[in-house]
Amino acid sequence: MISFLLLLLLSPISTTASTAAYPTVPGTADTSASASLNDNLTPIRRELYGDGRIFDISHRYTSNLPAYRSDNGLGQFLQLAASMKNGSFANISEMKFSVHTGTHVDAPGHFFDHYFDAGFDVDTLDLEVLNGPGLLIDVPRDSNITAEVMKSLNIPKGVTRVLFRTLNTDRRLMFKSKFDTSFVGFTEDGAKWLVQNTDIKLVGIDYLSVGAWSEMVSTHLVFLESKEALIKFQAF
Ligand SMILES: *[C@@H]1O[C@H](CO)[C@@H](O)[C@H](O)[C@H]1NC(C)=O
Ligand SMILES: *[C@@H]1O[C@H](CO)[C@@H](O)[C@H](O)[C@H]1NC(C)=O
Ligand SMILES: *[C@@H]1O[C@H](CO)[C@@H](O)[C@H](O)[C@H]1NC(C)=O
């Protein structure tokens, strides 16, 4: 199951989300609130709401969206199963793709088979953790997110939701179809440091994995073990 996340961003450290990261399909969206005054048949897809307090940080599904281990992106995922042009009384679309696509959360069962068997899917995640004010923080661009980096960020106690903006955003990796294994993510010791020393329950990162490629499995195990607390999703 896919979750579309709306996040309230309050960011004492970094200011607001970089406008360079919007729209989620470059050149196609008008993100300004005034664009909601729509009197013609051009769809408006807003990403900012509530005077900039609410950001829709989910990426739009397009065939070019990068997908795990794919060289060519998501590909054809949407079809019109019934169409008014062909005499149907309604348009009915069908989608088919991996649930690990675009902006998503990982269920505890993603890396723990016994959690999977026990039914710990995304529906078991706490919406109170998933929704609410969050901290957007820029991490050093010359490193993966290690224990040392985590320590240097000085994220205050009490902060439960953090989006980590990394070199991935500068490299615009979410806008490149070819899957790139050199993305920035957490190292195992970075994940452990976060779990042991902060109150963070929601970890957001700007590419398709929260764990750096070389420590993919071990990092996920650290994050997902608590099964109700640590969640990751990919965005911006
Ligand atoms: C219905 O589907 C047709 C394609 O058959 C498309 O051109 C049209 O925009 C759709 N209508 C709506 C209301 O989405
Ligand atoms: C409508 O039906 C024709 C003939 O079966 C097909 O070629 C075309 O792709 C269909 N168009 C849509 C929008 O479903
Ligand atoms: C992060 O780790 C990956 C390997 O998992 C590596 O390819 C990449 O260069 C590292 N990035 C930085 C900024 O150190």
Side-chain angles (χ1 to χ4, degrees):
M1 193 196 292
I2 311 285
S3 287
F4 298 89
L5 301 176
L6 292 180
L7 205 80
L8 287 166
L9 290 180
L10 296 181
S11 28
I13 295 178
S14 166
T15 50
T16 55
S18 159
T19 50
Y22 293 86
T24 50
V25 177
T28 60
D30 186 341
T31 60
S32 67
S34 61
S36 63
L37 297 171
N38 178 26
D39 56 8
N40 58 31
L41 279 175
T42 307
I44 302 296
R45 301 178 200 279
R46 292 173 60 191
E47 289 168 337
L48 290 180
Y49 298 81
D51 292 328
R53 276 189 316 113
I54 302 175
F55 292 77
D56 177 355
I57 57 172
S58 30
H59 280 270
R60 191 124 12 103
Y61 294 120
T62 70
S63 55
N64 293 323
L65 195 67
Y68 183 73
R69 283 190 142 162
S70 164
D71 281 347
N72 311 307
L74 184 55
Q76 178 73 42
F77 66 95
L78 184 66
Q79 18 227 11
L80 208 51
S83 93
M84 295 166 85
K85 291 208 175 35
N86 274 6
S88 175
F89 70 94
N91 289 330
I92 299 172
S93 302
E94 289 177 352
M95 302 195 288
K96 184 180 178 193
F97 53 46
S98 156
V99 295
H100 192 282
T101 296
T103 309
H104 69 276
V105 294
D106 279 8
H110 186 33
F111 274 82
F112 285 97
D113 210 26
H114 63 290
Y115 287 169
F116 185 89
D117 290 344
F120 286 100
D121 53 29
V122 292
D123 201 31
T124 66
L125 300 178
D126 184 348
L127 286 180
E128 290 211 82
V129 170
L130 283 170
N131 291 279
L135 172 69
L136 171 66
I137 193 163
D138 277 287
V139 302
R141 297 313 205 235
D142 59 353
S143 170
N144 277 289
I145 308 175
T146 60
E148 198 184 334
V149 167
M150 274 307 300
K151 201 170 171 204
S152 75
L153 295 175
N154 289 312
I155 297 172
K157 283 277 182 187
V159 172
T160 55
R161 302 176 199 88
V162 181
L163 306 182
F164 294 86
R165 185 162 54 194
T166 78
L167 184 64
N168 301 335
T169 291
D170 302 351
R171 296 177 66 203
R172 298 188 66 73
L173 289 189
M174 280 303 286
F175 300 104
K176 292 176 182 160
S177 295
K178 189 171 162 42
F179 183 68
D180 188 332
T181 60
S182 70
F183 64 86
V184 167
F186 278 80
T187 59
E188 183 183 357
D189 75 325
K192 278 189 179 146
W193 200 94
L194 183 150
V195 170
Q196 288 163 6
N197 300 286
T198 74
D199 293 330
I200 301 170
K201 305 282 187 222
L202 178 67
V203 176
I205 196 149
D206 47 5
Y207 199 52
L208 290 169
S209 170
V210 74
W213 183 250
S214 52
E215 300 180 42
M216 172 83 81
V217 175
S218 55
T219 304
H220 279 84
L221 294 179
V222 172
F223 275 141
L224 296 173
E225 188 177 12
S226 65
K227 80 182 177 306
E228 52 191 0
L230 281 156
I231 299 159
K232 64 138 178 157
F233 65 92
Q234 284 74 30
F236 58 100

